Amino acid sequence: MRQFPHLTDQVLDLDALLRETDDSACGALVVFGGAVRLDHPENPVTAIDYTAYAPLAVATLAQLEQEALAQFPIKHCRVVHRVGMLALGELSVLIVVRSAHRPAAFEAARWVIETLKVRVPVWKQE
């Protein structure tokens, strides 16, 4: 798969996102990571295969970053989603938000993940 700034089939790199958003004007840093989990003891999940319609997923993830920057008093927002077969514990999504103060960073990160789940064309098969 061709690599995109917002969509990848490689292990997600939190350090790279932290470097991209590094800003001494920001006192708040919120990182959200979504990981593959054992969904239910009676129906155990061993892996999840994530697929996406890449052109629209990439555009929508970029749009979510821009919308978060417009809606919340934050300075930086980066979102990356992974596709492919992921084992238990592997990260499927990373969101990094930086702002001057923590309430805005927390609110923006929560808005991004909730909106991503509704709008981004990424599908999973357990």
Side-chain angles (χ1 to χ4, degrees), residues 40-86:
H40 193 280
E42 295 172 14
N43 187 23
V45 172
T46 57
I48 294 181
D49 188 16
Y50 287 90
T51 58
Y53 177 59
L56 185 56
V58 169
T60 306
L61 290 166
Q63 182 179 1
L64 288 180
E65 290 175 347
Q66 293 307 307
E67 288 179 26
L69 289 165
Q71 291 180 40
F72 300 93
I74 61 174
K75 300 247 330 187
H76 304 279
C77 180
R78 282 289 286 117
V79 184
V80 180
H81 206 295
R82 189 166 169 203
V83 293
M85 187 66 70
L86 280 67

Side-chain angles (χ1 to χ4, degrees), residues 93-123:
V93 64
L94 274 176
I95 299 168
V96 173
V97 177
R98 291 190 190 254
S99 66
H101 304 287
R102 67 183 171 271
F106 278 112
E107 291 171 20
R110 182 176 186 101
W111 178 86
V112 170
I113 190 60
E114 297 300 336
T115 306
L116 180 154
K117 292 173 70 84
V118 173
R119 290 178 32 196
V120 179
V122 173
W123 305 279

Side-chain angles (χ1 to χ4, degrees), residues 9-11 34 56 68 72 91-92:
D9 60 2
Q10 302 299 306
V11 173
L56 185 56
F72 300 93
L91 291 174
S92 60

